[in-house]
Amino acid sequence: MAFSSTAPVPRIDAKAAVALILAAFPKRLRLCLDTALRIPAAREGIVAEISALVPEATDLAAAWNTMVAAAGADPWCDPDVIAARGALTRFLDHHAAERDVPAARALADCVTLLSCGGDDAAAAARIALPIWLEAEALPGLILHLPALAEAQTALGLGRRADHDEDLDIHEQAAGGTLLEAWTEALEGALLSLNAAASNVVVAAAVLSRGASSEFMTCTPLVRALILFGERLTLPVADQAGERERGRRRVAEQALAKARAREREASQSSATRRETNSVPSTPVALAPGQIVVVAEVRETGTDRGRSMTKGYEAIIGKPVSLAPVPDLAQLRTALRFEFPYAIDLIDRLLVDLTNRSYVGFSPTLVLGQPGVGKSRLISRIAHHLGVGLWRVDATHDSGAAIGGLDRRWASAEPAHPFLAIARYGVANPLMLVDELEKASTRRDYGRLWDSLLPMIEPETARAYPDPAFQTPLDISHVSWLFTANDIASLPGPLLDRLRVIEMQAPTANDLEALLPPVLAGIAASRRLDPRFLATLDGEEIIAVRQHWPGGSIRRLARLVETVVAAREVSSRRH
């Protein structure tokens, strides 16, 4: 459908916007937040996914589904259902640990959600952590909103997005209004779903501690979480609502006074109010300081938003460069954690020799999945004290890493600037994970193409930020990448990267890896590493039988299993 000059722009159905956003949510959270969820159909879908991912569990999944369907109104109390559910979830959990398939664990959690009651504290405890982790990842979805809004606008116009030049002036005007409407609807949907996700997280945590309510015993867990969460957070929401109403009253009064002043002001005063800027004044720089952005102008076309809010400490101000620490100590710390990657560590640290401030050449670390590429880079950033900004290329939103234009409601500066603002140094580390898996579509720009001007030193010194619409100096930012393969990467990008391979650890590295793995387990439990005794001979033999080398993630899970078994045994005795 094309718009005429008189055709009204249709209102965006809030439910349609919610459905679009919800489709991008992780599996467990999506089940809990989908108010239109039909539980029998959802069970059928989970059975189909289990059969595709873990064919060996097909019979167990079918038996579970049949038992639940035959159990009647309260399937979570039926002993046969409990037995079938337990057999299926145990098999999927074992498969996930043995084959290193986290998706199998997620499917087991979905089985739990769809066939346990709201008063099942053990079930709530099982899903509390994964649902919380899924909710923590939701803010990243805002990067996908511009592309989604443009796609929906193109569908509404009945035109492909790349044929916009064929639209007449009336269609272009209607398309702009529709794009703005979709952008606002999608942002509102994400905001409401974020709030609902918080309710689910709170409910799972509270239920896992044995709390309950009168309606829990007759409510499936997948329904109970959001209902119980809303009850728990209602007093907070009421208080926040009252504060918001008070804030709006004050804002409305201030706006009325401001409009009265505007009517009395001269035309020259109005012009000055339309265009303001963060003043650009000469800045005295000490050694080890740079100015990342000298000035940002704000205009009356920014929809009432301030592009500079939150960045006042950076704009027009000196920003320090993080100095290079003692390299001998740094190398010792990294060799302890990654004894199998000494050559790689040395090749990276050579960039810091004879330098006053931290800086790495753009480098791609190549290696098999699970060998510790991302963790090594994370630990380097930790020991250097520069902060690490991570971008997952598998979930990138085209050119968003280079910033989103200020015409968008979700406009934001380039990610390197965001990293500088967050960590307060002009030379943070940027990690782009799984670079080869970035989308190859060009509709909204490719991640690969967006990287070129930011990793090239000459253009990075005056990078044209689309949100600030002014040059940024991001030339001191270090770019590190990981990949499992480089065959699909474009030549212009590869030409600018140093490629270093990270070898997988072998069985011979096991005993050297056990101390750092135990230290990592202790850190995750917030314990002193000395509280976790080293593995004895029999425990080492057991780990060696199941770990021939390769994935560090798999080794860490095996060691955690051994530690947990040891703790259970000590409690029994």
Side-chain angles (χ1 to χ4, degrees), residues 205-230:
V206 174
L207 290 174
S208 70
R209 303 302 297 172
S212 187
S213 184
E214 66 278 2
F215 68 87
M216 290 298 181
T217 54
C218 56
T219 306
L221 182 61
V222 71
R223 301 288 194 204
L225 287 173
I226 193 164
L227 294 173
F228 191 51
E230 287 172 350

Side-chain angles (χ1 to χ4, degrees), residues 57-81:
T58 299
D59 291 342
L60 290 173
W64 162 71
N65 190 31
T66 301
M67 290 290 184
V68 177
D74 300 326
W76 43 86
C77 301
D78 189 297
D80 293 335
V81 171

Side-chain angles (χ1 to χ4, degrees), residues 520-557:
I521 294 172
S524 68
R525 298 182 176 188
R526 298 182 179 180
L527 297 174
D528 188 313
R530 292 172 295 181
F531 290 158
L532 285 183
T534 57
L535 271 59
D536 60 29
E538 291 184 359
E539 292 171 333
I540 293 175
I541 291 173
V543 171
R544 192 182 296 279
Q545 288 174 344
H546 293 86
W547 189 77
S551 172
I552 297 296
R553 288 195 293 265
R554 177 170 171 73
L555 174 60
R557 282 195 289 270

Side-chain angles (χ1 to χ4, degrees), residues 331 335 338-347:
R331 185 173 186 268
R335 287 186 62 176
F338 304 91
Y340 59 96
I342 295 173
D343 291 342
L344 171 59
I345 292 169
D346 288 344
R347 291 188 64 184

Side-chain angles (χ1 to χ4, degrees), residues 155-191:
L155 289 173
L157 291 172
R159 302 293 187 98
R160 287 181 54 188
D162 54 358
H163 290 166
D164 283 350
E165 65 273 10
D166 297 334
L167 302 177
D168 63 30
I169 187 169
H170 301 301
E171 289 175 314
Q172 290 178 16
T177 307
L178 181 59
L179 178 61
E180 184 173 351
W182 266 115
T183 300
E184 292 177 356
L186 291 171
E187 287 178 341
L190 182 57
L191 187 64

